[in-house]
Amino acid sequence: MMPIKTFVSERRAANLLAQIRWRDGVYCPRCRDESVIRYGSYRVFQRYLCKDCDRTFNDQTGTVFEHSAVALRKWFLAVYTYIRMNTSVRQLDAEIDVSYKTVYRRVQRFLRALDAPRPHLKGPVEIDEFYVKAGLKGRERDQPSRSRGLSTRGRGTYAEDKLPVFVLADRGTGERHVIPAKAATESRIRLLLAARQQESLTVYTDGFRAYDPLDEDDAFTRQYVVHGDGEYVDGAVHVNTCESHASLARRWLSPHRGISKDRLTPYLRAFQLRREVFRKPGKEALKTTLETAL
């Protein structure tokens, strides 16, 4: 159920922000000192005074919600529906009655604040890649625009406006990670698999030649299926989990009508967060969403 009360009460929204923001104790966002005292209020937010640097701050200071004339409850609703329901920015501007540019800038600020994925691979691990057509949308160009289709076929690179996105599915922990790259190369694959908990990691792949050097490395036990030969499953050897997760990622990107390759990473981090809160109740999902950016 959606946390409706938080979305209609500014004080409830402010209390939730304070609860999450100071979950490890109140500290000064400027000098990081914990010698702070309550110092009145600012609108519905608690105000504080740092006894070390003698500066004041409130619950919003230093967060993605600071310096905004828009009610905090509206931003909470925007963030919640964006992550939980994959609502487009254009629809958000109509729902919360805030201009498109204002919503877009705040959403982008929220996305940039999301943590990068930190895989700790237990294994066995599936790894596969898919490709996203992403050009220079929203960025000034020094040359005429190309066709919207971005017609590069097959595998591509960042320079070709067709970015590889790796999917890692750790069968040992059940975690799945979606990580974009500038090119699908051996060095990038090794970097993705470096954070492993075992000396020899079992890796399941398809027949893409960039994975071939793993066969000669004692740190990995590679097993693979060759899709080009019509081979998709060989006992426990397959990358079906990765392909399923990739299809969900494509659907996540679809409503946003084309994404700049410079901003693809934050959008995929939002997708990771969406999968994390997918089965959680509304209030818990909102708290988890805010905790990732505060």
Side-chain angles (χ1 to χ4, degrees):
M1 181 180 295
M2 290 182 64
I4 301 296
K5 293 181 179 179
T6 303
F7 298 147
V8 298
S9 169
E10 188 71 357
R11 187 162 297 278
R12 283 180 178 271
N15 290 341
L16 179 59
L17 176 66
Q19 176 187 343
I20 296 173
R21 175 78 190 281
W22 311 123
R23 56 189 180 274
D24 296 323
V26 182
Y27 60 88
C28 176
R30 295 182 178 89
C31 68
R32 318 299 290 185
D33 193 87
E34 296 181 0
S35 302
V36 299
I37 59 174
R38 293 175 181 268
Y39 196 68
S41 62
Y42 171 70
R43 295 189 296 187
V44 296
F45 305 103
Q46 177 63 54
R47 195 175 180 215
Y48 305 91
L49 171 67
C50 177
K51 298 172 68 175
D52 184 60
C53 66
D54 201 33
R55 293 188 177 183
T56 61
F57 60 95
N58 61 66
D59 294 329
Q60 278 189 309
T61 305
T63 72
V64 297
F65 305 111
E66 70 173 341
H67 304 315
S68 175
V70 179
L72 181 65
R73 57 186 173 81
K74 287 190 175 184
W75 288 132
F76 279 9
L77 176 61
V79 167
Y80 178 86
T81 55
Y82 180 85
I83 295 296
R84 193 67 181 261
M85 305 172 186
N86 198 17
T87 307
S88 69
V89 175
R90 181 64 70 184
Q91 184 62 34
L92 287 176
D93 115 45
E95 295 294 339
I96 66 175
D97 193 24
V98 177
S99 71
Y100 174 84
K101 287 185 177 180
T102 300
V103 176
Y104 177 80
R105 285 194 295 265
R106 195 63 57 165
V107 167
Q108 288 297 319
R109 189 172 177 180
F110 172 80
L111 295 182
R112 289 194 297 270
L114 296 179
D115 294 332
R118 296 172 183 156
H120 296 285
L121 304 175
K122 182 178 179 181
V125 174
E126 297 178 31
I127 182 171
D128 196 16
E129 77 288 339
F130 67 100
Y131 294 81
V132 177
K133 294 179 181 179
L136 303 177
K137 180 182 177 182
R139 194 173 76 181
E140 292 185 3
R141 307 174 177 84
D142 56 5
Q143 59 185 0
S145 301
R146 287 167 288 179
S147 64
R148 186 64 180 269
L150 299 173
S151 58
T152 302
R153 299 186 62 183
R155 294 185 171 92
T157 64
Y158 181 93
E160 296 169 341
D161 295 341
K162 194 169 185 182
L163 282 70
V165 178
F166 285 94
V167 182
L168 282 80
D170 189 346
R171 295 186 185 177
T173 62
E175 294 182 353
R176 303 173 189 178
H177 303 280
V178 180
I179 306 172
K182 290 195 173 182
T185 60
E186 175 193 347
S187 60
R188 183 57 177 166
I189 292 170
R190 289 184 180 277
L191 185 62
L192 292 173
L193 298 174
R196 56 185 182 273
Q197 301 178 22
Q198 302 177 10
E199 291 186 5
S200 181
L201 181 69
T202 300
V203 181
Y204 300 136
T205 75
D206 59 14
F208 181 33
R209 62 179 179 272
Y211 300 113
D212 290 347
L214 300 181
D215 292 331
E216 304 171 2
D217 193 331
D218 293 337
F220 304 101
T221 302
R222 182 199 178 205
Q223 301 181 50
Y224 61 94
V225 290
V226 182
H227 294 169
D229 294 341
E231 185 181 22
Y232 295 93
V233 180
D234 183 7
V237 183
H238 61 79
V239 290
N240 292 347
T241 309
C242 291
E243 292 180 348
S244 174
H245 205 60
S247 69
L248 295 174
R250 290 182 185 277
R251 289 178 59 187
W252 166 266
L253 297 173
S254 178
H256 303 291
R257 304 292 294 171
I259 294 172
S260 167
K261 59 186 179 182
D262 297 331
R263 295 189 172 93
L264 180 60
T265 296
Y267 277 93
L268 291 176
R269 289 180 185 175
F271 168 71
Q272 286 289 113
L273 177 58
R274 188 257 192 279
R275 301 307 304 172
E276 182 180 344
V277 304
F278 182 66
R279 295 293 183 184
K280 292 185 177 182
K283 188 173 182 179
E284 186 179 347
L286 177 60
K287 291 182 66 175
T288 301
T289 299
L290 295 175
E291 285 172 356
T292 59
L294 295 176

